[in-house]
C-alpha cells in the first residue's frame, strides 16, 4: 500500500507501520520462509505497493497465484480483522495493470532471446557442459563473430557446431583443439534442450527490455511470467532469469539512488540460481547484483532459507522479510540460527525463537534506514493485498493478453537469414561446384575413352589389312612365277621352232639350187638346227625373264 505519508507501507508491528524507504528500495531485498508461511502474498503486497507508486515490476508466477494481481480485491472476514489491527478504514481495493509473458507462448506473450544474446557462458551452464566443452562452445561463438554469422536459434548453433567440427584442422592453430567428442556432447545437450521446449525460447523477435518499464495511468505495469511449466526445468528457468537481469544491467544507464526504483525484479525460487553453478558465474551474479542498483533496479530474492543465497550476495540484500522456519533436524536448527544472525537483534525478543514461532502472514522485518543501515528487526504482520488473492480464469487471462498491445510485436515468430541459412547456402554452392567439377571430369574421361576406342579401332583395321596383305602375297608369287614360266616356255618354243624352221629352209633351198653344204648329211643338218634353236631359245628366255621381272 502506497501513500504520501506512509510511503511504501507493507507491514505493521506493535510500534506502528513499517515502510520501505523509496531511495533504499533499489538496495535489493529478501523474502524467505518455509512453504505455506505467506511468501507469495508478501511478494504480491510488495509488488502492488511499488505499482501504486508508479514503479513497474517483473515477477515469475510459479503456481498461477500471482495472476490475481490483475483483478480488484474484495473485502473478507480475514481482511476485516486485519483492518482493525492495522487501524485501516475502507481500504481501496484495486487491480494492477498487468502484461503476461510465457517462454513457451501458451499463457502469455512469448518471451524469447537469441543464442548470441544469451552468450556461451550462460548456455554452457544451461547445457551443463564441462570446462573442455565450454571452451569448444566459446570457439564456436568466436568463429561465428569472425564470420559475421548471426546465432539466433538452436538450428543456427547446431549448424555452426557442424561447421567448426568439419573445419577443426583450420582453426586448431588459432583457437585450439575442437574434438569430435566435445562437439558430440554439445549436440546431445542441444537435443535435450529441444525436448524440453527450449527451441521456443531461442529466436526472434527477441524480447526488448524496455517493455518491462511500462506504466499505465500513473501505475507501474506488472510483468508476470507464467513459470509453472518453466520450473519443470530449473536450469532453464534460472538461466533465463539470469540472462534477463544481465540484459537489464547491460541496457540501462547509470542513475544512482533515485526517489523510487526504475524497476523491481522479483526472483522466486532463487536457490535454483545457485545450484551447481560454477564459481565464475556466481561471481558474475554478484557483480550484477552489486552494480545494477546504480541503474535504478532493485532485485528481491524469494527462497525458503537465507542460507540458499551465497554470503557475498546475501550481504547485499538490505530489505528483508523473514517468515517462519521449521527446525525438525539439527541441520534445520543450524539454518534457523544462521537466519537469525543475519538480522540486527531486537532486545524485545529472541530472534531465533521468534523465527520458529511466527504465524502465517507474520514475519520478522528489517528494512534499511535513511542512512542505508539495517534497522532493528521487528516482529510484524504483512498487509493484505488490495488486489485479488489467487489465480484468475482463462477468459480473464486471454482478455488481458489481447489488450496488452504487445501481441503484434511478439506473438508471430520471425526466421530471418542467419548462420543456418548462410552455411546451408555455402554447402549447397560447394556441392554444386563439386558436382560441376565431377561432371567435367566425367566428360573429359568419356572423351578420352572415345578417342582411345577410335585409336583401337584404327589399329585393329590396320592389323586386319596387314593380315590380308600377308595372305595375298603367296598367291601373287605363284601368279608371277606362272606368268614368267609361261612366257619363258612360249619364248623358248618359239625360238626353237624358228631356228629349226630356218635351218630346214636353208637346207631345202640348197637342195633345189644344187649348192652343196659342208655338211650334207641329214644328221648334220638336224644337229645344227638344234644348236641354233638352243642358242636362240636362251637369248629369248633371258629377255623374257628380265622383262617379267621389270614388270
Amino acid at each position: 500500500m502506497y501513500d504520501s505519508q506512509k510511503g511504501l507501507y507493507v507491514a505493521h508491528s506493535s510500534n506502528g507501520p513499517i515502510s520501505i524507504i523509496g531511495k533504499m528500495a533499489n538496495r535489493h531485498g529478501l523474502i524467505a520462509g518455509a512453504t505455506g508461511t505467506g511468501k507469495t502474498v508478501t511478494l504480491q503486497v510488495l509488488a502492488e505497493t511499488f505499482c501504486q507508486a508508479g514503479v513497474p515490476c517483473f515477477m515469475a508466477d510459479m503456481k498461477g497465484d500471482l495472476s490475481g494481481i490483475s483483478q480488484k480485491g474484495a473485502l473478507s472476514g480475514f481482511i476485516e480483522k486485519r483492518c482493525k489491527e492495522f487501524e485501516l478504514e475502507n481500504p481501496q481495493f484495486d487491480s494492477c495493470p498487468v502484461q503476461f509473458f510465457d517462454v513457451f507462448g501458451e499463457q502469455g506473450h512469448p518471451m524469447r532471446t537469441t543464442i548470441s544474446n544469451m552468450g556461451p557462458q550462460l548456455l554452457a551452464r544451461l547445457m551443463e557442459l564441462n570446462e573442455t566443452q565450454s571452451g569448444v562452445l566459446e570457439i564456436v561463438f568466436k568463429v561465428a563473430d569472425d564470420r559475421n554469422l548471426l546465432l539466433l536459434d538452436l538450428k543456427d548453433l547446431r549448424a555452426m557446431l557442424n561447421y567448426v567440427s568439419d573445419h577443426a584442422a583450420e582453426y586448431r592453430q588459432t583457437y585450439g583443439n575442437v574434438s569430435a567428442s566435445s562437439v558430440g556432447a554439445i549436440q546431445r545437450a542441444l537435443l535435450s534442450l529441444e525436448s524440453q521446449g527450449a527451441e521456443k525460447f531461442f529466436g526472434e523477435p527477441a524480447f526488448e527490455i524496455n517493455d518491462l518499464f511500462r506504466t499505465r495511468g500513473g501505475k507501474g505495469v506488472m510483468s508476470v511470467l507464467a513459470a509453472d511449466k518453466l520450473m519443470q526445468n530449473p536450469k532453464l528457468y534460472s538461466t533465463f532469469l539470469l540472462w534477463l537481469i544481465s540484459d537489464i544491467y547491460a541496457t540501462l544507464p547509470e542513475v544512482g539512488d533515485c526517489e523510487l526504483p526504475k524497476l523491481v525484479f522479483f526472483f522466486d525460487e532463487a536457490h535454483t540460481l545457485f545450484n551447481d553453478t560454477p564459481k565464475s558465474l556466481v561471481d558474475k551474479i554478484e557483480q550484477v547484483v552489486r552494480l545494477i542498483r546504480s541503474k535504478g533496479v532493485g532485485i528481491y530474492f524469494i527462497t525458503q532459507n537465507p542460507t540458499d543465497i551465497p554470503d557475498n550476495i546475501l550481504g547485499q540484500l538490505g530489505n528483508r522479510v523473514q517468515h517462519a522456519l521449521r527446525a525438525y533436524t539439527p541441520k534445520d536448527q543450524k539454518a534457523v540460527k544462521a537466519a537469525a544472525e543475519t538480522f540486527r537483534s531486537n532486545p524485545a525478543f529472541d530472534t531465533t525463537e521468534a523465527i520458529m514461532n511466527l504465524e502465517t502472514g507474520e514475519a520478522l522485518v528489517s528494512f534499511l534506514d535513511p542512512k542505508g543501515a539495517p534497522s532493528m528487526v521487528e516482529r510484524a504482520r504483512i498487509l493484505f493485498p488490495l488486489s485479488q488473492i489467487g489465480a484468475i480464469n482463462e477468459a480473464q487471462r486471454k482478455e488481458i493478453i489481447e489488450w496488452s498491445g504487445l501481441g503484434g510485436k511478439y506473438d508471430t515468430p520471425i526466421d530471418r537469414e542467419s548462420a543456418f541459412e548462410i552455411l546451408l547456402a555455402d554447402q549447397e554452392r560447394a556441392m554444386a561446384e563439386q558436382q560441376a567439377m565431377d561432371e567435367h571430369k566425367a566428360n573429359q574421361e568419356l572423351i578420352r575413352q572415345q578417342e582411345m576406342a577410335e585409336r583401337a579401332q584404327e589399329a585393329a583395321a590396320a592389323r586386319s589389312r596387314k593380315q590380308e596383305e600377308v595372305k595375298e602375297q603367296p598367291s601373287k608369287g605363284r601368279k608371277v612365277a606362272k606368268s614368267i614360266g609361261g612366257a619363258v616356255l612360249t619364248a623358248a618354243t618359239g625360238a626353237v621352232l624358228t631356228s629349226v624352221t630356218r635351218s630346214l629352209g636353208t637346207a631345202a633351198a640348197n637342195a633345189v639350187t644344187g649348192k652343196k653344204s659342208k655338211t650334207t648329211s641329214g644328221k648334220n643338218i638336224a644337229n645344227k638346227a638344234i644348236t641354233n634353236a638352243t642358242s636362240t631359245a636362251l637369248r629369248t628366255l633371258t629377255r623374257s625373264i628380265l622383262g617379267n621381272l621389270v614388270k
Side-chain angles (χ1 to χ4, degrees):
M1 185 179 297
Y2 178 77
D3 62 42
S4 57
Q5 294 182 347
K6 297 178 181 178
L8 299 168
Y9 173 35
V10 295
H12 200 95
S13 71
S14 57
N15 296 323
I18 301 176
S19 301
I20 299 176
I21 298 174
K23 287 185 176 182
M24 297 296 142
N26 66 334
R27 301 294 181 91
H28 313 312
L30 173 70
I31 302 173
T35 301
T37 57
K39 295 193 302 295
T40 301
V41 173
T42 298
L43 189 161
Q44 185 171 343
V45 170
L46 285 173
E48 70 176 20
T49 300
F50 283 117
C51 169
Q52 294 164 3
V55 179
C57 300
F58 176 88
M59 63 198 78
D61 189 4
M62 299 297 175
K63 298 172 290 184
D65 295 347
L66 289 176
S67 61
I69 201 171
S70 63
Q71 305 297 315
K72 187 177 181 178
L75 189 64
S76 65
F78 169 77
I79 292 177
E80 280 188 298
K81 180 180 178 181
R82 287 294 176 91
C83 285
K84 293 179 181 178
E85 294 177 6
F86 302 155
E87 298 178 356
L88 295 174
E89 296 182 1
N90 301 321
Q92 301 298 310
F93 294 98
D94 199 2
S95 62
C96 298
V98 172
Q99 52 192 20
F100 289 111
F101 294 100
D102 185 357
V103 167
F104 304 103
E106 297 172 357
Q107 301 181 66
H109 301 294
M111 210 170 193
R112 308 180 189 89
T113 188
T114 65
I115 293 290
S116 294
N117 285 344
M118 175 69 74
Q121 192 174 25
L122 290 181
L123 276 174
R125 177 184 186 272
L126 180 59
M127 294 188 286
E128 300 180 351
L129 304 181
N130 60 31
E131 185 176 353
T132 301
Q133 296 158 359
S134 299
V136 171
L137 192 62
E138 293 272 3
I139 292 174
V140 170
F141 271 74
K142 177 59 177 172
V143 173
D145 287 341
D146 291 346
R147 291 201 56 189
N148 295 320
L149 295 175
L150 293 175
L151 299 179
L152 302 181
D153 50 27
L154 292 181
K155 70 177 188 297
D156 289 329
L157 182 55
R158 180 175 289 106
M160 201 67 213
L161 279 166
N162 291 334
Y163 172 81
V164 172
S165 179
D166 293 341
H167 297 78
E170 300 176 22
Y171 297 117
R172 184 175 293 112
Q173 294 297 327
T174 306
Y175 303 114
N177 187 45
V178 178
S179 66
S181 59
S182 294
V183 172
I186 299 173
Q187 293 282 29
R188 290 191 296 273
L190 286 178
L191 186 62
S192 176
L193 282 180
E194 282 184 326
S195 67
Q196 297 168 9
E199 76 278 1
K200 295 181 179 179
F201 172 52
F202 294 106
E204 288 187 319
F207 182 73
E208 295 182 8
I209 295 301
N210 290 333
D211 285 329
L212 295 178
F213 294 84
R214 302 173 74 190
T215 59
R216 191 181 304 161
K219 294 182 177 181
V221 174
M222 304 288 100
S223 297
V224 179
L225 175 69
D228 49 348
K229 183 177 178 180
L230 184 61
M231 266 305 295
Q232 295 176 15
N233 184 351
K235 284 285 185 184
L236 180 57
Y237 165 75
S238 59
T239 304
F240 165 73
L241 293 187
L242 180 55
W243 159 77
L244 195 57
I245 293 173
S246 301
D247 208 22
I248 291 171
Y249 170 72
T251 303
L252 296 182
E254 296 279 343
V255 294
D257 290 330
C258 305
E259 291 296 323
L260 289 168
K262 299 294 183 182
L263 176 73
V264 174
F265 193 103
F266 293 97
F267 200 139
D268 203 355
E269 300 294 340
H271 63 279
T272 62
L273 182 60
F274 306 103
N275 289 346
D276 302 322
T277 302
K279 184 179 184 303
S280 59
L281 194 54
V282 173
D283 292 341
K284 180 179 179 181
I285 297 171
E286 178 191 0
Q287 180 187 32
V288 171
V289 172
R290 184 176 67 253
L291 300 178
I292 200 171
R293 69 180 184 85
S294 64
K295 302 196 174 190
V297 178
I299 300 176
Y300 286 71
F301 293 93
I302 298 94
T303 189
Q304 291 195 5
N305 198 300
T307 57
D308 295 334
I309 311 296
D311 291 341
N312 52 359
I313 295 177
L314 184 64
Q316 299 181 52
L317 310 182
N319 301 298
R320 302 189 182 187
V321 177
Q322 176 67 62
H323 288 280
L325 291 174
R326 311 306 178 197
Y328 300 113
T329 66
K331 182 179 179 180
D332 293 339
Q333 293 173 358
K334 290 181 180 179
V336 170
K337 185 177 180 180
E341 290 175 349
T342 62
F343 288 100
R344 179 183 169 188
S345 61
N346 188 330
F349 58 87
D350 182 272
T351 306
T352 303
E353 289 295 327
I355 289 177
M356 293 187 290
N357 296 317
L358 292 170
E359 299 177 0
T360 300
E362 192 177 18
L364 296 181
V365 179
S366 174
F367 297 144
L368 296 178
D369 64 22
K371 295 182 179 180
S375 61
M376 186 180 298
V377 63
E378 294 191 58
R379 187 167 181 169
R381 293 187 180 277
I382 304 299
L383 293 183
F384 52 85
L386 298 177
S387 55
Q388 175 181 310
I389 299 176
I392 61 176
N393 58 47
E394 290 301 319
Q396 291 172 320
R397 181 183 292 271
K398 184 177 179 180
E399 182 180 4
I400 293 171
I401 292 172
E402 290 176 351
W403 283 94
S404 69
L406 296 175
K409 186 173 184 179
Y410 295 118
D411 290 357
T412 304
I414 299 173
D415 189 11
R416 63 187 173 113
E417 185 180 67
S418 51
F420 173 78
E421 288 78 13
I422 293 174
L423 292 176
L424 180 61
D426 289 347
Q427 184 179 11
E428 291 176 348
R429 184 166 51 253
M431 290 176 63
E433 292 174 355
Q434 185 63 42
Q435 184 178 0
M437 291 177 61
D438 292 343
E439 290 177 355
H440 177 71
K441 290 180 179 179
N443 291 335
Q444 294 297 318
E445 180 64 20
L446 180 61
I447 293 172
R448 189 181 68 83
Q449 291 179 358
Q450 289 175 346
E451 291 176 348
M452 289 177 63
E454 291 175 358
R455 287 195 294 269
Q457 290 176 356
E458 292 175 357
R463 286 194 300 271
S464 178
R465 287 194 302 271
K466 189 172 182 180
Q467 290 173 356
E468 290 296 328
E469 291 174 357
V470 170
K471 290 179 181 178
E472 291 176 356
Q473 283 176 0
S475 174
K476 287 181 178 180
R478 287 192 298 270
K479 288 181 180 179
V480 170
K482 184 177 180 181
S483 176
I484 294 172
V488 169
L489 181 60
T490 301
T493 303
V496 170
L497 289 175
T498 301
S499 179
V500 171
T501 300
R502 186 181 296 119
S503 295
L504 289 176
T506 303
N510 288 335
V512 174
T513 60
K515 289 183 179 180
K516 292 183 180 179
S517 150
K518 293 180 180 181
T519 57
T520 57
S521 68
K523 183 178 180 180
N524 290 333
I525 295 170
N527 288 335
K528 186 177 182 180
I530 291 171
T531 300
N532 292 335
T534 300
S535 178
T536 303
L538 287 172
R539 289 193 299 269
T540 303
L541 178 62
T542 300
R543 286 194 301 269
S544 179
I545 290 172
L546 291 173
N548 278 285
L549 289 174
V550 170
K551 291 179 180 180

